[in-house]
Each structure stands twice: as structure tokens, then as C-alpha cells.
Amino acid sequence: MDVTFVTSNPDKVVEVRRVFREYDIQVRWSRRALPEPQSDRLQDVVAAKLATAARPGRAVVVEDSGLFLDGLRGFPGVYSRYVYDTLGLEGILELLQGKPRRATFRTVAGFRRGRTTRIAVGTVQGTIAPRRKGHNGFGYDPIFVPRGSTRTFAEMEGPEKDRYSHRGRAIRALARKIGSSEKE
Ligand code: IMP
């Protein structure tokens, strides 16, 4: 089966394509930034993105992700992009000085074809490294160490990140849900 993944982020396409391939789902990329509503829930953002991305006769997939820092009471969460673009990794490391370093990455992924909608969530817990490490991946990858590893996502090859990551988990769960909706 084919799905169209709507996103402006080429790094997400690489990850989503790699994971869906394990389920024989082929990904076409529609390179487009979808408008995001002001909301403090990733689910609301995904629902709005699905509404805009939906096309008759086509299966579309969207996702939205956020980094939730325990030491900052869950901030930046849905504001992760804005914080990354303004404060950057160094700014986050500064804000966290002397604070608990536990963190959660979360992805909400959505699928729509006609009147069928499926939503899946993937989370990974971890810690924020004392300083940036590694050159792979994107965004917060150089400072996020998933539980069960001693390395940041940016120190891992893609398939290893997928095994741990919020996006890997969300897309695997979505693929299973899409598979079961096929049989309905
Ligand atoms: P978005 O709104 O889902 O595109 O992501 C919010 C922010 O989190 C952006 O700054 C992304 O670069 C960052 N981000 C999203 N997913 C990941 C990831 O898998 N690793 C690191 N950073 C990410």
C-alpha cells in the first residue's frame, strides 16, 4: 500500500519511510508545511494537520512531535520547534543547569483515508546529556539519550534510533492499525 506523508522535514521522511517499509507500506512525500493551531496538545495539532492534508482517494499520514522536560515541568512540549529555533540546544542546556534531566519525546502520528482515521502515539523516556554529542539525526538528537542506551540519538545510526524512538514507536503502532483497518 502507498501513503502520502505530508511534512516539510526531510529527516522525518527518511525515518518514517524506513519504518513503514518493514510493513510493506510505501511512502510518497508531499513537501509542505501544514498550519499548526495554537494548542497545548500534540493530538489537536495532528487532528488539524489531518484535516488540511486529507485528499479524496488518497491515504495521508501526518505527525507532530515534542520534547517534554521534567526539569521544566514539561516545557517545551508543543513549543519544541519554537524553542529549538530561538534558544537552540545550548539554550536548553543552560536552562537545565542544576535541574532534573529526565525527559520524554512524544510523537502523535495520524492516518486518514476517506472516512477512516487512525491515530497512534509513541513515547520514549530518557535524559538530556550534559553537552551535545554526535552528528546524526536532527533537532534535539544530539542532547537526547534514550533510556537503555548511553548514547544520544545523534550518535546512533538511523535504524538504531528507530528502535528506541518516539517516531519509530508511533509509526510501528500506526502501521499495525492501518493493517487492521485494511481487513475491516
Ligand atoms: P515538529 O513540530 O514535530 O516538527 O518538531 C518539533 C521540534 O522537535 C522541532 O524543532 C524538531 O526539530 C524537533 N524534533 C522532532 N522530532 C525530533 C526527533 O526525532 N529528534 C530530535 N528532534 C526532533
Side-chain angles (χ1 to χ4, degrees):
M1 129 174 239
D2 275 7
V3 300
T4 300
F5 180 37
V6 187
T7 180
S8 59
N9 184 333
D11 296 301
K12 288 186 180 179
V13 180
V14 171
E15 293 184 9
V16 167
R17 188 169 271 155
R18 197 166 49 216
V19 176
F20 268 142
R21 195 181 299 130
E22 295 164 24
Y23 297 83
D24 277 333
I25 298 173
Q26 313 306 322
V27 172
R28 298 163 192 254
W29 180 20
S30 170
R31 186 174 199 148
R32 192 146 74 93
L34 294 166
E36 296 189 15
Q38 254 329 352
S39 164
D40 55 9
R41 294 177 68 233
L42 294 176
Q43 272 84 349
D44 295 341
V45 176
V46 166
K49 284 184 174 182
L50 273 181
T52 314
R55 291 283 174 278
R58 211 189 261 189
V60 295
V61 169
V62 302
E63 67 99 91
D64 202 56
S65 302
L67 177 64
F68 299 77
L69 301 170
D70 282 17
L72 302 177
R73 296 190 206 149
F75 186 78
V78 286
Y79 308 107
S80 296
R81 171 183 298 279
Y82 183 70
V83 167
Y84 180 83
D85 292 343
T86 51
L87 301 179
L89 299 182
E90 297 309 321
I92 288 278
L93 291 175
E94 239 169 77
L95 280 178
L96 276 183
Q97 272 181 20
K99 299 212 162 66
R101 305 190 78 83
R102 278 178 55 131
T104 304
F105 239 127
R106 176 172 291 119
T107 293
V108 178
F111 164 91
R112 181 164 295 166
R113 185 180 46 203
R115 273 184 282 172
T116 304
T117 301
R118 295 286 179 269
I119 302 288
V121 182
T123 60
V124 55
Q125 294 196 325
T127 53
I128 300 301
R131 67 196 70 83
R132 52 185 307 159
K133 275 169 94 181
H135 299 285
N136 298 334
F138 67 100
Y140 295 98
D141 281 348
I143 61 168
F144 188 86
V145 180
R147 188 188 278 171
S149 177
T150 52
R151 288 171 300 135
T152 67
F153 276 154
E155 293 179 286
M156 297 179 181
E157 296 300 326
E160 189 181 2
K161 177 183 173 187
D162 299 341
R163 282 203 294 280
Y164 286 100
S165 83
H166 46 308
R167 183 166 300 101
R169 288 178 179 166
I171 296 300
R172 286 193 291 272
L174 191 63
R176 288 191 289 267
K177 289 186 175 187
I178 295 172
S180 55
S181 69
E182 288 284 275
K183 294 182 198 106
E184 278 170 15

